Amino acid sequence: MHALRRLHAALVPGGLVVRTQPVSAFAVVEAGGSELGRLDMREWRATIDAAERLTAQTIDDGLFSIEAERHFVVAETADDGPELVAVLHGWQGTKVPDELARRIASAPPPMRVLQDVRLRILRLLPTAGVA
């Protein structure tokens, strides 16, 4: 069962769900104000797109409405290049090209990863007979 359907059953009438999701297909990595390269996050984006289809279905089914939606850039900072490379390799659906990993590992701190993020506020709609 989709998580939003479970939330629908647990929320009070008119309750809100705040959802944030990184939506970048290619997140920028920079150091010293210069771009080092881009992460390949297309696989992650495909996962988000699949989740979006499920969210759209809950909206079409009358369980939620979109109260507000905003897009913004979130910067994750790091002071240790090799540690950042290790963290990025652990991100689901993300590929770090070898050349970019070398640039990150040798870059002077701080390094930043810039990701596009979508924030949505969903409002619970009252429904009868939701399974």
Side-chain angles (χ1 to χ4, degrees), residues 71-87:
H71 291 259
F72 51 94
V73 175
V74 171
E76 181 165 338
T77 60
D79 290 324
D80 182 282
E83 183 178 312
L84 177 57
V85 170
V87 167

Side-chain angles (χ1 to χ4, degrees), residues 2-32:
H2 186 260
L4 283 176
R5 291 187 183 281
R6 289 186 190 146
L7 280 172
H8 188 273
L11 288 173
V12 298
L16 299 174
V17 175
V18 178
R19 295 189 64 186
T20 59
Q21 297 171 303
V23 294
S24 302
F26 296 96
V28 174
V29 182
E30 64 177 28

